[in-house]
Amino acid sequence: NGARNVVVSAYTSSSATPVWSWTFPSQTYGGSRAMVSVDGSRIVAAMLQPTTAHLHVAVFDGGSPVPTSFFTHQVGLQLQQLVLSEDGSTLYVATTSGGYMFDVTPGTLAQQFGLLQSFTAQDISGDGSILAVGYFNGVDVYERQAAGNYLRTW
């Protein structure tokens, strides 16, 4: 298994032929994922470079085949989960080194979370304001505060 190209393709429900495709500018040995907002107006695709622990994120808006934003952040060596909020505003990424919440439009890290166990289940609310992290015999809930940070509330 060598390095591979990660290609993002958009389809309509009426055709097996992509409307458009876009390829990340570098190859990877790591994981990749894509998520779509509930209304279909935003696609967020990510690929991990495990040799550098960098996550590359491409954001596509309004059916554009060219990313409207692209950002990179160091997150860890193994991509475990990628979740986009239903409204497409917030991206949560879990790796072996922790959890990361991003504000998608500016491409900024909102907060990093320590995960108590490597085997966890995470999800975020429709507007990205709540993160739930479940693990063996427990759950942590974080809520976004007025300042934009997340606070453990349960």
Side-chain angles (χ1 to χ4, degrees):
N1 292 335
R4 60 183 168 68
N5 293 315
V6 176
V7 179
V8 181
S9 298
Y11 295 84
T12 63
S13 60
S14 61
S15 175
T17 303
V19 176
W20 57 261
S21 292
W22 179 84
T23 304
F24 275 87
S26 59
Q27 293 185 320
T28 186
Y29 294 94
S32 59
R33 306 273 192 288
M35 298 286 297
V36 181
S37 63
V38 167
D39 67 3
S41 65
R42 175 167 279 176
I43 299 170
V44 176
M47 74 166 220
L48 182 68
Q49 289 283 5
T51 55
T52 62
H54 283 103
L55 183 75
H56 303 285
V57 179
V59 180
F60 302 87
D61 287 309
S64 172
V66 177
T68 53
S69 69
F70 187 90
F71 61 93
T72 300
H73 192 80
Q74 192 165 14
V75 296
L77 300 176
Q78 189 177 39
L79 182 60
Q80 294 178 325
Q81 189 163 0
L82 182 124
V83 180
L84 181 66
S85 62
E86 291 177 0
D87 66 4
S89 67
T90 308
L91 181 69
Y92 176 76
V93 176
T95 70
T96 50
S97 64
Y100 303 83
M101 191 75 82
F102 294 96
D103 290 327
V104 173
T105 299
T108 56
L109 178 67
Q111 191 159 329
Q112 181 175 348
F113 302 90
L115 299 178
L116 298 177
Q117 298 175 6
S118 61
F119 298 107
T120 60
Q122 306 98 20
D123 207 353
I124 57 177
S125 61
D127 65 357
S129 65
I130 299 172
L131 166 67
V133 179
Y135 48 92
F136 295 113
N137 297 320
V139 65
D140 290 334
V141 176
Y142 298 87
E143 294 184 53
R144 185 170 45 216
Q145 305 301 297
N149 64 305
Y150 287 79
L151 180 67
R152 183 174 173 225
T153 57
W154 195 71

